[in-house]
Amino acid sequence: MGDVVGEEAAGWLADRIGQLRDEHELDWIVVNAENGAVTGPNPMDGFGMTVEIVDTLLEAGVDAITGGNHSWDGPDVDKILAYPQMVRPLNLDEERGQGLLTLRGNTTLTVINLLSPTAELPGMAAPKPHPLWPSWQEITAEHDLTGPTVIDLHGESPWEKASFAAALDGQASAVVGTHTHDPTQRGHVLPGGTGYVTELGMTGRLGHTGGGFDPMHFVAKMRGEDYTALPAYTLAKGPLALGAVILDIDPAGATTAITRIA
Ligand SMILES: [Fe+2]
Ligand SMILES: [Fe+2]
């Protein structure tokens, strides 16, 4: 499930988790919550998670929470990165938290979060991400990724996401994109068995550009104005939307089906 935008959306999603798990017989539920709350006045680093948001999602049954360029926002960051279910981007110099988590139960699933340098914003609180492909080569050298492995690739560019997925085809079960918030319709199973979705889409209120919030900061940036002088983010006011796909993954780790749910 793609970037949860705001506390209301987190609560709305939490209320649906049990039903979604039963209806679709879900083994594991992974949610990107990097925009779970407006955590501060600075619009470029004040959009992360709070302990309340994380607890709401975990108590509802979410198995793992991923992030992105906003994983370091807000006053609760040390507590949030310490949750055993929290997965922050792996390709950084960062001691806190973990970028790789293996869920174990009737089935296993390894969850990896990667942050593209293209998702880096000026003044961002997050540590600087390393380039994706060298990072991936290091990860595969250090970790045994046999078995189902899903990568939340948090990045700006559809071509970069697609190229990354194609380059590692057969090495991971799926690469699913987050960060740009507007969902892409199709998913593809690549020849080697890696499932690929360019963008899961945000989970939150529609309206404006579909990102889940008022785009005034991005408009100001586009115009060359000082967006940091603007007030904190305000959320969109349209209907609530779910950005999510279901991945069917066989025991050997190949994706066999991708189904978008709304
Ligand atoms: Fe986001
Ligand atoms: Fe992001």
Side-chain angles (χ1 to χ4, degrees), residues 45-79:
D45 62 8
F47 211 159
M49 297 177 224
T50 60
V51 165
E52 288 75 19
I53 292 294
V54 172
D55 287 342
T56 295
L57 293 171
L58 294 178
E59 285 165 15
V62 169
D63 298 297
I65 297 176
T66 56
N69 52 307
H70 291 295
S71 285
W72 288 266
D73 291 12
D76 294 348
V77 60
D78 286 326
K79 286 181 194 160

Side-chain angles (χ1 to χ4, degrees), residues 3 34-35 70 154 179 181:
D3 306 24
E34 70 146 12
N35 308 118
H70 291 295
H154 200 77
H179 177 67
H181 285 208

Side-chain angles (χ1 to χ4, degrees), residues 145-169:
L145 298 178
T146 52
T149 300
V150 170
I151 301 167
D152 170 354
L153 174 51
H154 200 77
E156 191 87 23
S157 160
W159 273 116
E160 182 188 41
K161 294 178 193 177
S163 302
F164 182 77
L168 60 72
D169 184 20

Side-chain angles (χ1 to χ4, degrees), residues 199-237:
E199 176 59 43
L200 293 179
M202 66 95 198
T203 296
R205 285 203 178 271
L206 297 169
H208 299 292
T209 60
F213 44 83
D214 188 313
M216 69 168 114
H217 305 93
F218 297 93
V219 172
K221 193 178 172 197
M222 172 63 65
R223 289 173 171 158
E225 297 164 2
D226 180 11
Y227 54 82
T228 62
L230 292 171
Y233 286 112
T234 53
L235 302 187
K237 296 180 174 59

Side-chain angles (χ1 to χ4, degrees), residues 2-262:
D3 306 24
V4 174
V5 180
E7 296 167 23
E8 182 195 24
W12 175 74
L13 176 59
D15 288 343
R16 292 188 65 188
I17 287 291
Q19 182 204 342
L20 288 167
R21 186 186 289 280
D22 292 345
E23 183 181 343
H24 301 288
E25 301 180 338
L26 303 177
D27 289 319
W28 303 111
I29 299 176
V30 182
V31 176
N32 187 307
E34 70 146 12
N35 308 118
V38 178
T39 58
N42 186 332
M44 286 304 165
D45 62 8
F47 211 159
M49 297 177 224
T50 60
V51 165
E52 288 75 19
I53 292 294
V54 172
D55 287 342
T56 295
L57 293 171
L58 294 178
E59 285 165 15
V62 169
D63 298 297
I65 297 176
T66 56
N69 52 307
H70 291 295
S71 285
W72 288 266
D73 291 12
D76 294 348
V77 60
D78 286 326
K79 286 181 194 160
I80 286 165
L81 292 175
Y83 274 81
Q85 301 95 337
M86 185 62 58
V87 188
R88 50 89 173 152
L90 179 57
N91 56 320
L92 329 141
D93 295 321
E94 171 63 61
E95 297 296 316
R96 294 170 294 177
Q98 60 192 346
L100 182 151
L101 169 65
T102 299
L103 301 165
R104 298 180 196 281
N106 293 331
T107 62
T108 64
L109 180 71
T110 295
V111 179
I112 293 173
N113 192 193
L114 292 174
L115 176 61
S116 168
T118 63
E120 190 185 339
L121 298 167
M124 198 173 75
K128 303 301 175 205
H130 297 298
L132 283 178
W133 188 246
S135 299
W136 176 248
Q137 290 173 304
E138 281 182 30
I139 292 163
T140 52
E142 291 174 13
H143 300 276
D144 176 13
L145 298 178
T146 52
T149 300
V150 170
I151 301 167
D152 170 354
L153 174 51
H154 200 77
E156 191 87 23
S157 160
W159 273 116
E160 182 188 41
K161 294 178 193 177
S163 302
F164 182 77
L168 60 72
D169 184 20
Q171 291 186 283
S173 305
V175 175
V176 293
T178 56
H179 177 67
T180 53
H181 285 208
D182 224 11
T184 52
Q185 184 178 9
R186 286 184 290 273
H188 308 272
V189 179
L190 306 180
T194 296
Y196 170 65
V197 177
T198 303
E199 176 59 43
L200 293 179
M202 66 95 198
T203 296
R205 285 203 178 271
L206 297 169
H208 299 292
T209 60
F213 44 83
D214 188 313
M216 69 168 114
H217 305 93
F218 297 93
V219 172
K221 193 178 172 197
M222 172 63 65
R223 289 173 171 158
E225 297 164 2
D226 180 11
Y227 54 82
T228 62
L230 292 171
Y233 286 112
T234 53
L235 302 187
K237 296 180 174 59
L240 283 157
L242 175 67
V245 299
I246 297 171
L247 300 168
D248 291 332
I249 300 173
D250 72 19
T255 289
T256 56
I258 303 171
T259 311
R260 184 166 277 288
I261 54 173

